[in-house]
């Protein structure tokens, strides 16, 4: 029985592109793997404290850090909703990362997390794809791919629903068809990736 650790970090519980796509992923995962377990944390509804000196010194002996690290170690796969806020990830997700990354406990090639597949739903209001004017300001995918591979030797994959503000900003109206296509592709990718991952882990 495989375990999926699911983290959401979007501020709004409704109307969030990242939450909608992670929900689609989980639904497909459950359909493919009904006996699997899903551990869920809503980092916006129940934010974690920022890392402090006491927690750093305690490492995995800190009750909260130990709990988070144990959840991560128990997960066969990890799903993260990571909307772009001010060009980077939400501070609540950064707090989780700071708490759960424990040098000497779960960092490096021998980490219990090594090889774990992470799927990140990296939604954004505009487009930061290669070749676009804002490509150089993409600090979500670049940051998380670097961090998760460097710290955990994890396998990292992304689903990127972009142009999510096209329907609400008149100046982006001409981009609505591209936004709709990106949204549809994100849901397709979520279903396919979840099914493939569930099948792979159940094998």
């Amino acid at each position: 029985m495989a375990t999926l650790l699911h983290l959401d970090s979007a501020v709004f519980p409704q109307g969030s592109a990242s939450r909608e796509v992670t929900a689609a992923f989980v639904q497909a995962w459950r359909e493919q793997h009904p006996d699997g377990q899903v551990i869920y944390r809503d980092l916006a509804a129940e934010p974690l404290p920022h890392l402090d000196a006491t927690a750093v010194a305690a490492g995995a002996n800190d009750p909260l850090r130990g709990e988070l690290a144990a959840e991560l170690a128990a997960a066969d796969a990890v799903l993260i909703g990571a909307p772009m806020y001010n060009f980077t990830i939400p501070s609540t997700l950064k707090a989780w990362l700071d708490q759960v990354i424990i040098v000497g406990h779960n960092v490096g090639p021998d980490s219990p997390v090594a090889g774990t597949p992470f799927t990140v739903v990296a939604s954004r209001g505009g487009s930061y794809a290669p070749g676009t004017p804002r490509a150089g300001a993409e600090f979500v995918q670049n940051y998380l791919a670097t961090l998760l591979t460097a710290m955990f030797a994890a396998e990292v994959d992304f689903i990127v629903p972009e142009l999510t503000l096209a329907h609400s900003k008149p100046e982006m109206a001409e981009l609505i068809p591209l936004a709709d296509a990106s949204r549809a592709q994100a849901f397709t990718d979520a279903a396919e990736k979840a099914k493939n991952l569930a099948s792979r882990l159940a094998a």
Side-chain angles (χ1 to χ4, degrees):
M1 181 177 73
T3 297
L4 175 69
L5 175 60
H6 172 197
L7 309 172
D8 275 327
S9 60
V11 169
F12 296 106
Q14 304 296 328
S16 160
S18 66
R19 286 180 182 270
E20 290 172 350
V21 176
T22 60
F25 185 105
V26 172
Q27 180 180 345
W29 166 279
R30 291 187 186 277
E31 290 172 354
Q32 187 71 22
H33 195 48
D35 295 329
Q37 180 183 8
V38 177
I39 300 171
Y40 181 60
R41 279 189 178 269
D42 187 332
L43 300 175
E46 297 183 16
L48 299 169
H50 290 294
L51 192 63
D52 61 20
T54 300
V56 170
N61 292 320
D62 178 85
L64 175 59
R65 301 190 79 195
E67 177 185 349
L68 296 173
E71 283 182 354
L72 180 58
D76 299 288
V78 181
L79 172 66
I80 300 176
M84 179 183 281
Y85 291 163
N86 298 320
F87 299 109
T88 189
I89 62 173
S91 61
T92 51
L93 178 55
K94 181 62 164 61
W96 179 82
L97 290 164
D98 288 342
Q99 294 283 6
V100 81
I101 295 171
I102 307 174
V103 176
H105 180 72
N106 61 6
V107 170
D110 297 325
S111 165
V113 187
T116 299
F118 280 67
T119 302
V120 180
V121 178
S123 61
R124 61 276 314 274
S127 179
Y128 298 78
T132 63
R134 286 192 166 184
E138 205 301 303
F139 302 119
V140 174
Q141 286 177 266
N142 290 335
Y143 168 66
L144 289 176
T146 300
L147 180 77
L148 296 172
T149 54
M151 292 298 190
F152 292 141
E155 172 189 318
V156 187
D157 195 15
F158 290 92
I159 299 171
V160 186
E162 63 178 11
L163 302 170
T164 62
L165 292 176
H167 283 274
S168 60
K169 287 188 173 292
E171 64 270 27
M172 295 179 67
E174 65 180 13
L175 299 174
I176 287 176
L178 292 175
D180 290 345
S182 178
R183 175 183 171 84
Q185 187 63 54
F187 282 109
T188 297
D189 289 348
E192 291 181 353
K193 291 178 188 295
K195 290 176 182 178
N196 292 339
L197 191 55
S199 297
R200 170 181 146 191
L201 294 174

